[in-house]
Amino acid sequence: MNFFKNVEIASKYNISQATVVKWIQDSNSNKNNLQLITYNKKLRVIDNEHNHAELTRLSLEGQKFRTTSSFIKTQPHPDFYKIFDIEEQIEIINDLRYRKEVNLKFYYKNGGAQMWDEDYKTSGSEMLTAAQSMLNISIDDLSYLTQNKRINLIDMGCGNGHHAKILIDQFQLSKYIAIDISNEMLELCKNNILSWQPQLDFSKYVCDIESSRFGKIFLDNHDKDILNLVLFIGGTICNTNDRVRILKNFASGLLADDVLVFNYSLDSVKSRSEFNLARIGEEGVARAWIITTLGIDVENCEVEVAFDPVEKCKIKSLILDKDYNISFQLNGKVEEVNLKKGEKITRWKHFLLTHDLVFNEIQQANLEVQFMKVVGDHSLIAVKQKT
């Protein structure tokens, strides 16, 4: 007969192993309805539907009587309010409250750009090398689509600009337009681009790709006999929660001849086990700096890197070792977020997709496919406005 290990119950129901032992003792005294067996002279909780329901009841009952007096009360460091604007602060609060995550995009601020640049150069990530390979074999297709016109290369989530270098070398560019949420990242990109092409017309915009619309940017950089080639590369779309919304944001700004190119990771046994970017470096104060800024003791948190088969998503999480009550000050209004010991706070996520799913999302955004390239477990796709 199958049974739970105490550590499995503790992990699944966000409780301590001491609490599990107490529940087992209470059951033996008829104080709850857990069904037990004896194995190696120890009482164990049987793995069955009855006990699943009873364990859920016990954990919820425990939470009902849990008071905030057990929580460590903390508040963000003053730098939190300087680094993030009010809209970003609200998004971080809601993500913590409802998703138990801090969006990866925010980590590219406050020194995060430099760390990402170092990771990019040392990770050996198959996703990043595949992106370069797919762009390389797409040059002829892109030349056909752009009809040998001059091109504005609009780099969405530009990073350090390295993934765009092959296009800068191959095409006659009118402008290079960098777009990123982090001004530090934009400066890093600018230094790289102008070191390769000192005479290239470079401009930059600080924008949140998940919430911004781009019609004015696309139009302002459009001219007769010049079209926009919009690049969204590096698998960044796989790190976002609402891909359709992002594609619609892009689509709403594309003009008739403009081309959007993006890439994504395919779901496979191999891709589920590739965690190079997630595993780089120690998950200490520097890398999890936002969570540290909120007053959470990062160094005592356990780090978990795993694949979620339900969400089809690779995730890196910090497992809290304490209860926290975080008090945010928003224009004179106090917003509190309670986080419990054992809860997992997502630091990084990467969804693995299928072609059918991506094609469906492209259709929802009123776009149509022009060509597609596949290298291993990674795909690159070019789309235009649906005619």
Side-chain angles (χ1 to χ4, degrees):
M1 182 175 292
N2 293 331
F3 61 84
F4 289 110
K5 295 180 181 178
N6 289 2
V7 67
E8 292 173 337
I9 297 174
S11 175
K12 182 176 178 63
Y13 295 95
N14 291 327
I15 57 173
S16 68
Q17 291 191 54
T19 299
V20 179
V21 172
K22 184 178 184 306
W23 286 352
I24 291 174
Q25 292 170 346
D26 287 349
S27 175
N28 206 33
S29 304
N30 296 318
K31 293 181 180 178
N32 62 48
N33 295 315
L34 287 175
Q35 297 175 349
L36 308 176
I37 60 170
T38 301
Y39 181 80
N40 285 344
K41 300 181 180 180
K42 291 185 179 180
L43 289 172
R44 302 290 188 181
V45 178
I46 299 170
D47 184 355
N48 61 23
E49 290 302 318
H50 170 86
N51 279 341
H52 279 284
E54 182 65 1
L55 288 167
T56 299
R57 183 189 70 79
L58 289 170
S59 64
L60 291 174
E61 187 176 78
Q63 290 179 22
K64 183 171 64 176
F65 293 106
R66 201 174 188 175
T67 67
T68 55
S69 62
S70 67
F71 286 69
I72 294 175
K73 296 186 182 297
T74 184
Q75 56 186 347
H77 190 277
D79 286 348
F80 174 82
Y81 301 102
K82 298 176 183 177
I83 296 166
F84 303 107
D85 64 33
I86 188 66
E87 294 291 344
E88 292 170 335
Q89 293 168 30
I90 292 170
E91 184 173 345
I92 289 170
I93 290 169
N94 285 330
D95 278 348
L96 276 172
R97 182 178 284 151
Y98 301 116
R99 296 181 185 272
K100 299 296 182 286
E101 74 175 45
V102 177
N103 198 309
L104 179 65
K105 65 188 178 185
F106 294 126
Y107 281 97
Y108 300 136
K109 300 188 174 190
N110 192 42
Q114 188 61 44
M115 280 189 286
W116 183 88
D117 184 53
E118 294 169 1
D119 292 350
Y120 181 95
K121 295 172 182 175
T122 61
S123 71
S125 169
E126 184 178 315
M127 178 184 65
L128 297 177
T129 56
Q132 293 294 312
S133 298
M134 288 185 292
L135 281 174
N136 188 48
I137 62 176
S138 300
I139 297 299
D140 289 343
D141 298 276
L142 288 172
S143 296
Y144 176 78
L145 279 180
T146 56
Q147 301 170 356
N148 295 318
K149 292 182 179 179
R150 296 191 69 196
I151 293 170
N152 292 327
L153 183 57
I154 302 180
D155 200 348
M156 313 295 291
C158 61
N160 57 17
H162 273 272
H163 50 255
K165 189 174 186 302
I166 187 171
L167 300 182
I168 294 171
D169 291 340
Q170 292 290 328
F171 290 97
Q172 182 184 13
L173 297 186
S174 176
K175 296 179 183 178
Y176 177 92
I177 300 102
I179 297 176
D180 204 281
I181 195 172
S182 165
N183 191 58
E184 291 178 344
M185 195 73 86
L186 289 166
E187 286 299 310
L188 184 65
C189 178
K190 179 180 179 180
N191 291 336
N192 285 331
I193 298 297
L194 295 184
S195 70
W196 303 326
Q197 296 278 357
Q199 306 305 315
L200 182 59
D201 187 350
F202 180 97
S203 59
K204 63 178 184 176
Y205 297 85
V206 177
C207 289
D208 184 344
I209 290 169
E210 290 187 294
S211 59
S212 300
R213 297 173 73 88
F214 301 98
K216 188 175 187 307
I217 294 176
F218 292 177
L219 182 61
D220 285 350
N221 290 285
H222 207 283
D223 206 346
K224 184 179 180 181
D225 296 326
I226 298 176
L227 59 78
N228 293 324
L229 174 57
V230 182
L231 192 64
F232 189 41
I233 211 74
T236 307
I237 198 167
C238 295
N239 298 334
T240 62
N241 291 309
D242 192 344
R243 294 181 299 276
V244 174
R245 178 185 180 186
I246 292 172
L247 290 174
K248 285 183 176 179
N249 288 346
F250 294 165
S252 66
L254 292 176
L255 300 176
D257 294 330
D258 292 346
V259 179
L260 167 65
V261 176
F262 66 94
N263 72 311
Y264 54 94
S265 302
L266 293 166
D267 187 11
S268 72
V269 173
K270 183 180 178 182
S271 62
R272 291 183 180 196
S273 63
E274 205 266 319
F275 283 94
N276 287 18
L277 278 175
R279 288 199 172 106
I280 275 188
E282 294 296 328
E283 193 62 25
V285 172
R287 289 186 178 275
W289 65 267
I290 297 179
I291 296 177
T292 299
T293 301
L294 300 178
I296 293 174
D297 184 5
V298 169
E299 292 184 326
N300 286 326
C301 293
E302 182 183 345
V303 180
E304 180 181 88
V305 180
F307 177 74
D308 184 335
V310 176
E311 295 292 332
K312 299 292 193 299
C313 184
K314 299 190 286 188
I315 300 174
K316 182 177 189 177
S317 304
L318 293 176
I319 305 175
L320 299 180
D321 72 323
K322 304 177 185 70
D323 296 332
Y324 286 94
N325 170 263
I326 309 173
S327 180
F328 295 86
Q329 303 289 331
L330 299 180
N331 292 341
K333 178 178 173 60
V334 177
E335 284 287 328
E336 293 187 346
V337 174
N338 291 330
L339 302 173
K340 298 183 179 67
K341 177 181 177 180
E343 286 186 327
K344 300 174 183 179
I345 308 300
T346 300
R347 269 273 292 107
W348 172 90
K349 63 167 53 172
H350 191 79
F351 290 93
L352 301 179
L353 312 177
T354 65
H355 292 311
D356 286 345
L357 177 62
V358 173
F359 292 160
N360 179 264
E361 292 173 347
I362 287 170
Q363 288 182 339
Q364 291 182 59
N366 201 40
L367 296 166
E368 59 184 7
V369 176
Q370 304 300 303
F371 70 83
M372 182 176 72
K373 303 292 182 183
V374 178
V375 172
D377 295 319
H378 305 276
S379 183
L380 177 145
I381 201 158
V383 298
K384 296 178 72 172
Q385 280 277 20
K386 187 178 291 185
T387 55

